[in-house]
Amino acid sequence: DVMGMKIPVGNYSEDFEKVMSLLIDIRDEARLSKNFSISDKIRNQLASANIQLEDTKDGTRWVKIQL
């Protein structure tokens, strides 16, 4: 429940997926450029929204943290 709106866990819109893909792309570019302040800021801000980034050999993926 966010500001009176019910947000279903695990049911994300196509727009949300696009935003997450963009954020991951920006973070990946920052990491390649060794701009760790930007990449860390993106990771930390997403973590504060209960979204965890996982760096794998196949790329970065995200998961919603269940509280």
Side-chain angles (χ1 to χ4, degrees):
D1 187 13
V2 177
M3 298 181 68
M5 297 182 296
K6 300 287 183 196
I7 308 296
V9 174
N11 185 12
Y12 303 102
S13 70
E14 183 177 324
D15 291 338
F16 185 80
E17 294 284 346
K18 288 178 183 177
V19 169
M20 287 303 300
S21 179
L22 175 63
L23 286 171
I24 288 171
D25 287 347
I26 292 169
R27 181 175 173 268
D28 287 346
E29 287 178 26
R31 290 176 68 214
L32 287 173
S33 300
K34 299 193 185 304
N35 189 340
F36 299 114
S37 64
I38 295 293
S39 64
D40 290 348
K41 183 174 184 174
I42 292 170
R43 184 195 65 232
N44 294 338
Q45 289 291 314
L46 288 172
S48 72
N50 298 321
I51 297 171
Q52 180 180 351
L53 295 181
E54 297 177 349
D55 297 315
T56 71
K57 65 178 180 158
D58 297 320
T60 304
R61 67 184 196 107
W62 64 273
V63 294
K64 180 75 173 159
I65 299 168
Q66 303 294 322
L67 299 178

